[in-house]
Amino acid sequence: MPLPSHLTIEIVTPDRAIVHETVDEARLPGAEGYLGVLPGHTPLLVTLQVGEIWFRRGSEKTWLHAAFGFAEILPDRIRILARTAERADEIDLERAEAAASRARERLATTSGDVDFERARIALLKSLSRLQVARRIGMRAAGKR
Amino acid sequence: MPSLIDLRRRIRAVKSTEQITKAMKTVAASKLRRAQDRIVGARPFAQLMRRVLSDLATRTGEAAAHPLLAPPVAPEAPTLLFLVTADKGLCGSFNSNLIRQGATFAVESDRKVAMGLVGRKGRDFFVRRGVDIRFEMVNLFNDLRYGHAEAMAETAIDQYTSGAASGVSILYNEFKSVMQQEVVVDQVLPIPALDASEGEENDAVSADYLFEPPAERIFSDLLPHHVETQFFRALLESAAAEHAARMTAMDAATRNAGEMIDGLTLHMNKVRQAAITRELIEVVSGAEAL
């Protein structure tokens, strides 16, 4: 089978389908670390962590925040089923910042395992959101 | 015989009722459109989830061993029935159909039935009837989120794996079309056998997946998500069906009000004409008497 030259990437959440595009390269937050995917990747099924996804088409990169779920990778296709996912421009910076400081506070004060784990995940999520949101901020500044 | 003034007053009253039902119909129509969009939006996720799961089930071979797929721990425990009703009324037979079906299910089942009540109408009905209630959630349809389905799934899985329930089903109105809703019962737990044929689309490549983490772990990670998706779909279907039912009911109500106004107006005109004729006769016969 000849190697495909492009990847079709689909990102869906329980609410909606977010992305359906043809791209050249993508990177996802896999269970054991970030993984880059190029066309012709071995079929792979991977669970996702909290983190950022990006995909590139030509020289244009798009960032997303995603948390949990899994991805099915085929030589010519990536299907991502995320529990939550947001495009960089959909992220509410102020809300994410507020969530981050709230989570930090709770991490400092709580002791129970469950609460601690929850706060840790909340912090991870908000940090990832912030990071993704800043990416487009950086790009906009670079163009100016 | 009602006087003219009484008739006018009644017509006015019916007219304002008509305006309310008409407004409710319009609101329901626009909410329905949004609810339908959400169903369509949720579909790819559910489909993909099922495909990957059935794929994995055939691959890992240890499918039957997972507690969510295995027969119940305590076969004698009651069945847990989730009943999804609406939060509000004025939607025709939507809620009463559900409640009737729920009661029938409880009577016909060969085991005891415990209930999980979602939606105010069903809760209000069963809470006073001494039913074994394991779960309650009201006021969710205004702002329906995936989190609601997660809460339901958590209770369902917990009850099933701990042996408090021997099975979990969900009873809800499925959205068939605007004119038609159908009450359906879906078995949620144990998860019905996953049909391998659904993964047919890319069998050629899927034969040699790599897994990260190992397939068994992904599989057991995914099963609870699958349960959540099922609950979420039921909630979305129910929400759309509710708006459709309300739209139809309010449309009928508006039409009835219109008919009533027509009838009353006709009657009023007759009464008025009778009064005029009577007065004329009185005047004429008065003139003759002179």
Side-chain angles (χ1 to χ4, degrees):
Chain A
M1 198 172 74
L3 276 187
S5 57
H6 294 287
L7 286 164
T8 309
I9 185 166
E10 271 179 80
I11 303 181
V12 292
T13 67
D15 272 325
R16 60 197 176 129
I18 300 184
V19 171
H20 189 157
E21 268 178 67
T22 312
V23 298
D24 296 322
E25 185 187 354
R27 199 185 65 170
L28 339 162
E32 338 234 291
Y34 279 94
L35 58 124
V37 183
L38 288 165
H41 198 284
T42 310
L44 170 72
L45 205 65
V46 59
T47 53
L48 299 181
Q49 281 185 326
V50 182
E52 56 175 17
I53 297 177
W54 63 247
F55 53 84
R56 182 178 63 81
R57 172 187 200 152
S59 61
E60 197 177 321
K61 261 189 187 178
T62 310
W63 273 274
L64 290 100
H65 156 78
F68 307 112
F70 63 100
E72 181 195 32
I73 297 164
L74 296 170
D76 60 345
R77 206 176 317 163
I78 307 179
R79 289 205 186 96
I80 300 174
L81 278 82
R83 170 67 189 80
T84 53
E86 284 151 37
R87 275 177 178 275
D89 49 14
E90 290 168 345
I91 292 170
D92 184 341
L93 254 180
E94 277 169 31
R95 229 186 99 191
E97 257 158 28
S101 57
R102 225 178 18 248
R104 275 203 194 90
E105 232 167 75
R106 261 189 302 158
L107 274 182
T109 52
T110 51
S111 51
D113 274 356
V114 180
D115 288 346
F116 191 82
E117 189 57 20
R118 273 199 191 142
R120 196 180 68 86
I121 288 170
L123 182 61
L124 276 178
K125 277 188 183 173
S126 48
L127 286 180
S128 155
R129 279 204 178 93
L130 285 175
Q131 196 183 349
V132 171
R134 283 200 191 107
R135 297 262 184 206
I136 50 167
M138 264 158 50
R139 244 188 332 172
K143 273 179 194 161
R144 229 176 278 142
Chain B
M1 194 153 158
S3 73
L4 263 181
I5 294 182
D6 284 344
L7 280 170
R8 283 219 184 91
R9 205 174 281 151
R10 264 204 82 192
I11 291 177
R12 214 180 313 131
V14 177
K15 224 174 224 162
S16 45
T17 310
E18 184 193 25
Q19 261 160 11
I20 292 171
T21 56
K22 205 189 261 173
M24 283 185 75
K25 184 193 146 194
T26 323
V27 170
S30 89
K31 281 192 178 163
L32 170 65
R33 209 167 314 125
R34 228 172 307 146
Q36 267 177 292
D37 286 348
R38 285 191 80 178
I39 294 185
V40 174
R43 215 165 270 160
F45 190 88
Q47 277 169 355
L48 197 45
M49 176 74 92
R50 244 201 115 67
R51 248 210 36 237
V52 171
L53 264 182
S54 51
D55 228 49
L56 275 170
T58 49
R59 197 86 34 78
T60 56
E62 59 127 31
H66 195 277
L68 295 185
L69 289 158
V73 200
E76 293 308 308
T79 311
L80 178 59
L81 178 71
F82 279 88
L83 183 72
V84 185
T85 53
D87 280 326
K88 291 179 197 155
L90 288 179
C91 42
S93 54
F94 183 88
N95 289 313
S96 46
N97 271 347
L98 278 169
I99 290 170
R100 186 160 1 101
Q101 292 265 2
T104 319
F105 184 93
V107 171
E108 283 176 0
S109 169
D110 44 359
R111 274 172 276 176
K112 272 200 209 134
V113 172
M115 286 211 159
L117 300 171
V118 179
R120 181 176 300 281
K121 288 287 163 181
R123 201 272 311 257
D124 290 354
F125 183 88
F126 282 105
V127 90
R128 282 179 276 123
R129 280 173 173 73
V131 182
D132 178 4
I133 296 171
R134 304 274 170 93
F135 182 80
E136 246 187 69
M137 188 155 63
V138 294
N139 264 344
L140 67 153
F141 286 105
N142 249 339
D143 176 30
L144 191 58
R145 274 173 291 111
Y146 192 71
H148 294 126
E150 279 180 322
M152 288 166 78
E154 198 185 318
T155 311
I157 291 171
D158 192 52
Q159 296 265 329
Y160 186 73
T161 49
S162 70
S166 61
V168 179
S169 294
I170 183 164
L171 183 76
Y172 62 99
N173 260 315
E174 193 177 44
F175 176 79
K176 285 267 165 201
S177 72
V178 177
M179 299 301 290
Q180 205 189 348
Q181 298 90 40
E182 196 182 12
V183 180
V184 291
V185 188
D186 283 350
Q187 182 186 333
V188 181
L189 293 175
I191 297 173
L194 298 155
D195 190 4
S197 65
E198 279 178 68
E200 90 306 307
E201 194 189 319
N202 40 13
D203 259 353
V205 261
S206 65
D208 47 355
Y209 268 122
L210 293 178
F211 296 96
E212 184 189 314
E216 293 76 26
R217 266 212 19 230
I218 295 195
F219 192 59
S220 48
D221 256 19
L222 281 187
L223 285 176
H225 283 300
H226 174 64
V227 176
E228 284 165 13
T229 332
Q230 235 186 321
F231 278 125
F232 190 57
R233 197 184 71 88
L235 289 180
L236 288 179
E237 290 276 353
S238 175
E242 179 195 341
H243 293 309
R246 178 163 301 124
M247 207 178 105
T248 322
M250 287 301 110
D251 188 47
T254 310
R255 216 167 323 119
N256 287 344
E259 272 168 30
M260 203 164 164
I261 290 172
D262 287 349
L264 283 172
T265 312
L266 194 68
H267 189 55
M268 184 189 77
N269 287 344
K270 273 187 194 151
V271 171
R272 197 190 57 213
Q273 194 55 50
I276 293 170
T277 315
R278 199 175 52 238
E279 269 174 40
L280 269 178
I281 291 172
E282 274 164 17
V283 170
V284 170
S285 50
E288 268 172 8
L290 279 176

